[in-house]
Amino acid sequence: VQLQASGGGLVQAGGSLRLSCAASGRTFSSLHMGWFRQAPGKEREFVAAITWSGSITHYTDSVKGRFTISRDNAKNTVYLQMNILKPEDTAVYYCAVVVMTQETATPKYDYWGQGTQVTVSS
């Protein structure tokens, strides 16, 4: 499956953005999906994940209550609604196929696709 993230941009602190990740291939609806981000000079980190059915979601603690992950299997798309954005949310955001664990998710493949830049100004 190929992944293309979009929807990033420049926003003031407290604002909102909605990221989208369009996936190619017929297997999308059977895949668990996640969002990761990488800030300058830092390692890539987990942000959120969702099971293939959408019934279970996981979030890293720093975004709980502010970000919401969702998916539309008919459109082969996973979303990340980001509210109350903070400067520390500034990063390149990537979507990926994931393996779900009890409280988090890890990338299933070493493939990230093109990310989308999110910049939050203070």
Side-chain angles (χ1 to χ4, degrees), residues 69-117:
I69 189 171
S70 61
R71 66 189 296 159
D72 185 336
N73 286 341
K75 295 182 178 180
N76 276 18
T77 303
V78 61
Y79 304 98
L80 186 68
Q81 177 67 43
M82 306 187 296
N83 298 328
I84 318 175
L85 281 161
K86 303 177 181 180
E88 51 263 44
D89 295 319
T90 295
V92 178
Y93 283 71
Y94 301 86
C95 58
V97 179
V98 300
V99 175
M100 300 284 279
T101 62
Q102 190 168 5
E103 296 183 353
T104 186
T106 56
K108 186 173 184 178
Y109 308 111
D110 186 18
Y111 168 72
W112 295 97
Q114 182 175 338
T116 186
Q117 175 71 48

Side-chain angles (χ1 to χ4, degrees), residues 24-106:
S24 64
R26 298 181 179 180
T27 62
F28 175 80
S29 61
S30 66
L31 299 173
H32 303 328
M33 298 297 297
W35 286 95
F36 296 77
R37 66 187 180 187
Q38 187 167 21
K42 295 186 177 181
E43 293 187 353
R44 192 171 293 163
E45 64 171 354
F46 166 75
V47 176
I50 187 167
T51 53
W52 66 270
S53 66
S55 60
I56 298 174
T57 57
H58 292 326
Y59 299 91
T60 192
D61 286 345
S62 63
V63 308
K64 285 180 180 177
R66 300 189 298 122
F67 290 11
T68 302
I69 189 171
S70 61
R71 66 189 296 159
D72 185 336
N73 286 341
K75 295 182 178 180
N76 276 18
T77 303
V78 61
Y79 304 98
L80 186 68
Q81 177 67 43
M82 306 187 296
N83 298 328
I84 318 175
L85 281 161
K86 303 177 181 180
E88 51 263 44
D89 295 319
T90 295
V92 178
Y93 283 71
Y94 301 86
C95 58
V97 179
V98 300
V99 175
M100 300 284 279
T101 62
Q102 190 168 5
E103 296 183 353
T104 186
T106 56

